[in-house]
Amino acid sequence: MKWIISAVVLAATATFATGGAAHASAGKEPVSREQYRTLINQCRYAETKAARQDCRAEARKTYTIGAWNPTLNCRTYSSVTVCGKLHLSDRQRACVRDFIQRGLTYDRSEVECYAFLKHN
């Protein structure tokens, strides 16, 4: 009889644990471990400390580690890889507009200004 109770408790625990894990990632976009790492690491380029913290919090809230996501826009320029939508400051947006006028593509301008514009 004890083993039946143990089996029921074990099955119930496994069910709740699985349900909790599924619930924790509900609503989050699955990305590969590499893509997730890129999303977190690219936050170091945000212009201010507060923006860097917000960037990491947003990435953790929006994404979860799962399978490779081919729809996530990841791009590399000048050895800097970023993924997804970048939240640019006013200065960074002005930099992008300037680079586009000089003939760079939008994606390249965005990465260059996000990563290399001098931070505060």
Side-chain angles (χ1 to χ4, degrees), residues 11-76:
T13 304
T15 301
F16 288 122
T18 303
H23 177 70
S25 64
K28 291 185 178 186
E29 187 173 345
V31 296
S32 71
R33 185 173 304 280
E34 179 184 345
Q35 288 172 314
Y36 187 83
R37 195 171 318 141
T38 297
L39 287 158
I40 296 296
N41 288 341
Q42 74 192 27
C43 294
R44 71 178 176 257
Y45 299 118
E47 197 168 33
T48 65
K49 182 177 181 178
R52 289 187 287 277
Q53 290 171 338
D54 290 346
C55 176
R56 289 184 190 100
E58 181 70 19
R60 289 183 184 106
K61 183 177 101 179
T62 306
Y63 301 99
T64 187
I65 296 173
W68 178 262
N69 185 336
T71 64
L72 185 65
N73 180 18
C74 295
R75 55 243 184 244
T76 302

